[in-house]
Structure formats: structure tokens, C-alpha cells
Amino acid sequence: MAQIQANAAIPSRKDHKSVKPMIIIRNWLLRIVLIIQALAVVYPLLWNVLASFKTNAEVMESPWSLPQSLHWDNYVRAFTSAKIGDYMLNSVMVVILSMVMLILMAVPTAYVLGRMRFRGQKLISNIYMAGLFIGAVYIIVPLFILMNDFHMLDNRFWLSAVYATGTLSFSVYLLTGFMKSIPPDFEEAAMIDGCGYFSTLFRIIMPMVRPGIITMVVFSFFDFWNEYVLAMTLVTSDAKKTIPIGLSNLMQVQQFATDWGSLFAGLVIVLIPTVIIYVLLQKKLTEGMMLGGVKG
Amino acid sequence: MAACLIPGLVMFILFKLYPAMQVFYRSFFLWTGIGDKPKFIGLKNFVDMFHDDVFLLALRNTGFLIIIVPIFTLLIALVNASILTRTKLKEKGLYRTLFFFPSILSFVVIAILWSFIYHPTIGFLNSGMELLGLGDYAMAWLGDSRTVLWALAVTLIWQAAGYYMVIYMAGIDSISPDLYEAASIDGATSFKQFIHITIPMLWEIIRITIIFSINGVLTISFVIVTIMTAGGPDRHSEVVMTYLYQQAFTNSNFGYAMAIGVFVFAFSVILSLISNKLTERGSN
């Protein structure tokens, strides 16, 4: 097969030589289209970074100019008066808690659903699948009432529990696929060696589905870090709010007391972890999309 | 075994399944506020919906976004995916990285950024237009009922196009190169190859992404509208999800809000089915 393709490629490459200038022109036209789009993606972010170093007067003056000097005090104010640091800490707490809960729920569930045969298995798989279609805004009212009845509102632990449950459907769906692809011999060998269910799961299976778990963690990280609707509804006291809520409050305040600098500084602070994780795990993320099909 | 399943199932039933069932059940009740005792009123909430001018306007605005945004998002995604996979540009990895980036940004960050892009005085859309000599057309994009939905649509497209592009790129990579090779030997132009090879071969993926995109618009429009316009000016950018939220948490009309939820859910399912039917193979 490869042989045939290689053979076919040789004459066609020769043909291309005669039309090469046309291809170069075409490539440059396409490149211009792509560069314009790339600018449309990058410029708003770049502008945001620039504006975070400007004074209010400079922001008002022109969106194209560079800041005259680096106004770090925007960042200082973002932490002192806008309390970005506190919101950030809440977000970090909620993300870690949610992630632990998600892993503790999703991995064993996917293990059982992917590798064992029992009555009701199909039903449970289908129930989790149905969860893919239940978005947060649809169920926000009964969820709010339920959590109010159980005194779970305004509590970072229960917010995390709701987050973990929110991505459970997708995670189970993703991991079950990985679990199914492991040959059963591995477990049999482990069982013979006297490993129980749990030690088999943790010592044999978990390392083998690591790519799946990483994909799940990466996707869930962005979901947890960025979540807005639930955090806005289920957390009421300012001291427990997560960063998306903190930012949107800051945005509301800016309309009356103009301090754009610290708002933009706040946005940059939120962007930093996202950018770092994206740069480090970009490959995993886009590969994961191909493994797990389409994210919900 | 049970120990493996129970933690997940308990949480799932508590925070997902039970509330979802409640939404359907309580949509038949008049229920105003937490202290209030729900009263069964049959289909009255659903009947009221169609006499509620604000709801109808919100439904129309949502309909606009649900049609416009997926069409442009998926078209841009397809064209970009095809350019990046079919041409041998050296820096294609860079474009892919950049274009995908907005889809992992927080919706809140996107909404705030775009509020400033459209800002009438400090926004760079207006000032950019002035630089290009189009200053006469500068306007308050989010403050004008004629432009507000388009402005929101652009934001939603900006957010999602890269995400679908990556999905399509994976799809195109799995198409056999022999097909393109044969087509170019027969003298088919890139455009013809796009129409006659790429689109038909990706058709099943495109069908799924249409449905995902419709649902994405429903979800994301909530955050974008809440932060960028709060439904204004004069409800011209109100969408069903923001209206639902407002009925529930500002007006305490729990029953009515849940009825809206049921309606929107049914609406999105029906829309997905229609889209599936329309795009079915064999008819063309």
C-alpha cells in the first residue's frame, strides 16, 4: 500500500513543478486568510494584556497604543481591592475537590461498566448516557431547591460535588471505552496472584487507562475552572465565590466606578493558568477529542 | 462491585436525575417561592408561555442564534480544517493551536473581552473602523436593537469555530489520501475536491456537530447574554435561558421557569431530530 502511494507521488510531484508558482500564490492567499483570522483570535487577548498595564486615561485614549510604562499597580489593586486572590483560592479549592471526587466516582464506575457483565449493566450505562443531555441551566431550579432543603447551599464542598457529577456522564463514557480495550488476561493474572478487586483496579487497570484519565482530567479542569451558572446560583456569600463570578461582579462594578486597569489585570490573572495548561497539554487535549468523540 | 458503582450513582441520581425528573413534574405546578406550597395547575404554565410577549421575543432571539451561529461556525470550521489539512503550510500547527484556544477560555472572560471590543467609546471595533475611514458606521453595537444579536452571534462564532475545526481536521485526516490523489490527477480543483470529497466523507461528523453546536448555543448564550447585555436593549437580546433564570430567581416563578425548561428541552430535541432528518443520506 505504502509502496503504491510512494510510486504515485513521484510523477505527481514532477507535474507540480511546472505549476509551482501558482501553488505558491495560492498558498500565500490562503495564508493571508489564516493570518487575518489568527489576528482576530490573538488581538483581543493581546489588547487585554496591554490594557492591564495602562492607566484609565490611556485606556480611554486609544486601543492601539502601547502603555507608556508598566502600571503594575493595576495588578496590586486586582489583589487588594478586587480580591482576585481570594476568588482564585476558592477556584483552586473547588477544582481540586471536584477533580478528586470525579476520579473517585468515574474510574470505578467505568471499570465495572467496561469490564464486567451483570444484570442492569446496560441500564446503568444508558442512565449515564442520558446525563450527557441534561445541561445545568435546565435543572438549576430543582437543584437549587434540593440543595436549599438539605442545607447544601453556599458550600464549596457541595458545589464541587455538583461539578463532579456534572462531568461524570462524559467521563464515564470516555473511560468505559478505554477500559473495554484492555485484554482480560491482565486481570486474570492479577486475580490469580491474589489481588482483590480494588488492588487490581488501582495497581493494574489505572496505569493502563492513564491516557484516558489524563484526557478526562484536562477536559474537566477547564469545565471546573470556567463554570459560571452553578457557581453564581449555589454560592451566595462573597467570601466563597469562584473566579468567574468574581470577574463578572468586577465587570458590573466597573460600569459605575471606572477602574478598568484592575479588571483587565484580573482577566490576565485568570488567563495565566489556562494558557499554561493549554501550552503543556495542548496535544493531549486535541488528541483526547479524537479519542472520546465530541465533548458535550 | 457494588462499592464501585454506588458513590457515582448516588451523586448522579441526587444532583442530576432527580432534579431532571422534578423539572418535568413541577412544570405542571404553580409554585412561587421556596416557602410556597406547589399547586397543580395542569398545562396552564405552557399556555401562559404563548401569551407572554417577552418569552416569545426571547424564543425568537434564541431561534435567530440557533440558526445563524451553527451555520457560520461550522462553515468556517470546515473551510479552515480543509485548508490546514489539504495544503502543506509549514506553520499549520500554529494556526491550529491559536484557533482552538478560544474554546477553552472561560465564557465569562470571553464575554467581558467582547463587551470591550464593542464598547462605544474605548472599544477597538469602532476605533478600528475610524482608522479605516468607516467612522460614520461606528455605533454602540450592543446598545442597538438592530445589531445586538449579530454582535452576540459573532462572539459565539469566535468562541466555537476552532473547536469544531479540530474535530473536522481529525475527520479529514482519516479520509484516504488516494481519493484526493485520484481527484487531482483527474484535474479536480481544490474547491471541487472540498465539495465532492471532503464534505461527503465528513457528512456523518457534520451531522453530529450540527446538533452539538445547537446545544452549545443554548448553553453558552446564557453566559454571554447575562454578562454582555443582560438581555438589553429593551429585551432585544433576551434568550430563553436567561428568561428562565430570571423567572426563577428574580420573580420566584419556579413552576413557570421549569415549564420553560421543559419547553426548551423539548424544542432542542425536536430541532436535533429535524436536523438529523434533513441531513440524512440518500435524499441527496
Side-chain angles (χ1 to χ4, degrees):
Chain A
M1 188 67 187
Q3 192 64 42
I4 296 166
Q5 265 180 40
N7 285 340
I10 294 162
S12 69
R13 210 170 273 158
K14 266 183 196 152
D15 292 346
H16 282 171
K17 240 177 200 157
S18 54
V19 284
K20 223 177 173 186
M22 268 216 16
I23 289 193
I24 291 175
I25 291 171
R26 192 198 66 179
N27 277 0
W28 270 103
L29 284 176
L30 291 176
R31 198 168 265 156
I32 289 167
V33 173
L34 292 170
I35 289 172
I36 291 171
Q37 292 186 67
L39 284 177
V41 170
V42 171
Y43 196 73
L45 299 166
L46 188 68
W47 171 81
N48 178 12
V49 175
L50 290 179
S52 73
F53 290 109
K54 290 180 177 179
T55 61
N56 266 338
E58 283 177 281
V59 172
M60 288 287 283
E61 203 181 274
S62 160
W64 312 100
S65 64
L66 289 168
Q68 269 153 13
S69 62
L70 296 181
H71 276 270
W72 286 104
D73 55 318
N74 285 333
Y75 284 85
V76 175
R77 270 204 320 287
F79 278 102
T80 52
S81 59
K83 290 185 292 187
I84 289 291
D86 297 356
Y87 295 133
M88 192 122 162
L89 210 64
N90 285 333
S91 272
V92 170
M93 256 175 71
V94 168
V95 168
I96 292 173
L97 262 175
S98 314
M99 202 64 86
V100 171
M101 285 193 244
L102 176 66
I103 292 171
L104 288 180
M105 291 192 290
V107 176
T109 305
Y111 175 59
V112 172
L113 291 180
R115 306 196 61 79
M116 291 177 194
R117 297 276 154 270
F118 59 92
R119 272 180 68 196
Q121 180 189 30
K122 191 97 192 133
L123 176 74
I124 295 176
S125 298
N126 285 339
I127 288 175
Y128 279 118
M129 278 297 279
L132 284 174
F133 302 95
I134 308 173
V137 184
Y138 290 122
I139 57 167
I140 193 98
V141 183
L143 192 62
F144 175 81
I145 294 164
L146 172 95
M147 293 179 74
N148 181 58
D149 291 345
F150 287 166
H151 303 288
M152 290 171 172
L153 288 179
D154 203 20
N155 182 316
R156 279 161 289 195
F157 177 82
W158 290 114
L159 179 70
S160 309
V162 173
Y163 278 6
T165 316
T167 58
L168 188 59
S169 284
F170 171 73
S171 306
V172 166
Y173 169 68
L174 175 82
L175 286 181
T176 308
F178 277 91
M179 295 285 183
K180 280 184 178 155
S181 67
I182 303 173
D185 318 0
F186 284 92
E187 280 158 299
E188 280 162 21
M191 295 285 182
I192 290 164
D193 286 350
C195 286
Y197 271 125
F198 282 101
S199 59
T200 310
L201 173 57
F202 285 106
R203 304 224 316 254
I204 311 291
I205 302 296
M206 288 243 318
M208 295 198 73
V209 293
R210 230 185 77 198
I213 294 178
I214 292 175
T215 306
M216 172 184 91
V217 168
V218 175
F219 273 122
S220 307
F221 167 81
F222 292 115
D223 279 355
F224 299 155
W225 182 253
N226 295 334
E227 204 287 329
Y228 177 71
V229 186
L230 292 166
M232 176 170 84
T233 314
L234 304 178
V235 174
T236 43
S237 62
D238 196 47
K240 293 177 188 165
K241 283 187 171 147
T242 55
I243 211 148
I245 312 302
L247 280 181
S248 83
N249 288 351
L250 206 56
M251 167 84 180
Q252 243 100 65
V253 174
Q254 297 317 309
Q255 295 173 346
F256 309 105
T258 350
D259 177 12
W260 285 314
S262 69
L263 175 63
F264 295 135
L267 288 174
V268 172
I269 295 167
V270 181
L271 279 173
I272 290 169
T274 315
V275 173
I276 291 174
I277 293 200
Y278 184 55
V279 170
L280 291 178
L281 296 174
Q282 198 241 120
K283 266 238 161 68
K284 283 265 172 329
L285 197 69
T286 42
E287 275 166 14
M289 280 173 58
M290 290 145 211
L291 293 171
V294 192
K295 191 177 74 152
Chain B
M1 190 188 87
C4 287
L5 283 177
I6 282 169
L9 270 181
V10 167
M11 297 284 245
F12 190 75
I13 290 168
L14 187 63
F15 292 130
K16 206 104 198 194
L17 224 50
Y18 171 76
M21 277 148 55
Q22 279 283 306
V23 170
F24 283 95
Y25 177 58
R26 295 295 182 186
S27 66
F28 301 110
F29 286 76
L30 176 69
W31 190 9
T32 52
I34 286 194
D36 188 48
K37 205 172 155 346
K39 199 175 97 199
F40 185 81
I41 52 166
L43 290 170
K44 187 159 182 307
N45 281 330
F46 292 92
V47 176
D48 285 349
M49 234 181 265
F50 290 93
H51 297 110
D52 179 345
D53 288 340
V54 181
F55 174 75
L56 293 175
L57 181 61
L59 191 62
R60 211 168 61 208
N61 294 338
T62 310
F64 172 90
L65 293 176
I66 275 182
I67 291 168
I68 295 295
V69 174
I71 290 177
F72 283 99
T73 307
L74 300 183
L75 204 64
I76 292 170
L78 255 177
V79 170
N80 281 341
S82 162
I83 293 175
L84 290 185
T85 44
R86 298 300 309 148
T87 54
K88 306 275 173 285
L89 295 178
K90 264 179 269 145
E91 71 281 21
K92 74 175 203 186
L94 178 72
Y95 295 125
R96 184 182 138 130
T97 307
L98 286 179
F99 292 172
F100 187 72
F101 188 61
S103 57
I104 54 154
L105 282 179
S106 157
F107 303 141
V108 174
V109 172
I110 292 173
I112 295 176
L113 272 183
W114 279 84
S115 309
F116 283 100
I117 291 175
Y118 293 130
H119 199 285
T121 49
I122 67 167
F124 57 80
L125 183 57
N126 277 349
S127 104
M129 287 173 71
E130 268 161 39
L131 284 181
L132 294 173
L134 297 167
D136 294 346
Y137 297 99
M139 58 195 299
W141 301 96
L142 294 176
D144 193 309
S145 60
R146 289 166 302 171
T147 52
V148 64
L149 281 178
W150 284 100
L152 294 174
V154 169
T155 308
L156 290 165
I157 296 165
W158 184 88
Q159 188 271 335
Y163 178 77
Y164 293 106
M165 181 193 80
V166 170
I167 293 177
Y168 291 147
M169 282 175 80
I172 295 175
D173 278 338
S174 67
I175 299 174
S176 161
D178 300 359
L179 278 176
Y180 290 105
E181 191 72 38
S184 60
I185 288 169
D186 289 348
T189 59
S190 304
F191 179 71
K192 277 204 169 135
Q193 292 178 25
F194 177 71
I195 299 290
H196 294 293
I197 301 175
T198 308
I199 291 187
M201 293 299 284
L202 283 182
W203 197 245
E204 288 307 310
I205 300 179
I206 294 173
R207 292 179 66 191
I208 299 170
T209 50
I210 292 172
I211 292 169
F212 273 95
S213 175
I214 289 173
N215 284 308
V217 171
L218 276 176
T219 316
I220 303 165
S221 65
F222 175 85
V223 186
I224 301 286
V225 168
T226 305
I227 294 176
M228 289 175 72
T229 66
D234 195 25
R235 307 262 191 188
H236 280 286
S237 65
E238 196 79 66
V239 288
V240 280
M241 289 309 204
T242 52
Y243 191 59
L244 182 163
Y245 195 88
Q246 190 193 324
Q247 282 299 326
F249 294 105
T250 312
N251 300 1
S252 289
N253 279 330
F254 288 160
Y256 189 49
M258 289 196 241
I260 294 175
V262 169
F263 179 84
V264 177
F265 185 72
F267 180 72
S268 76
V269 169
I270 290 169
L271 218 59
S272 304
L273 291 176
I274 292 174
S275 147
N276 243 337
K277 197 81 204 157
L278 285 179
T279 54
E280 210 164 283
R281 271 275 172 71
S283 56
N284 41 18

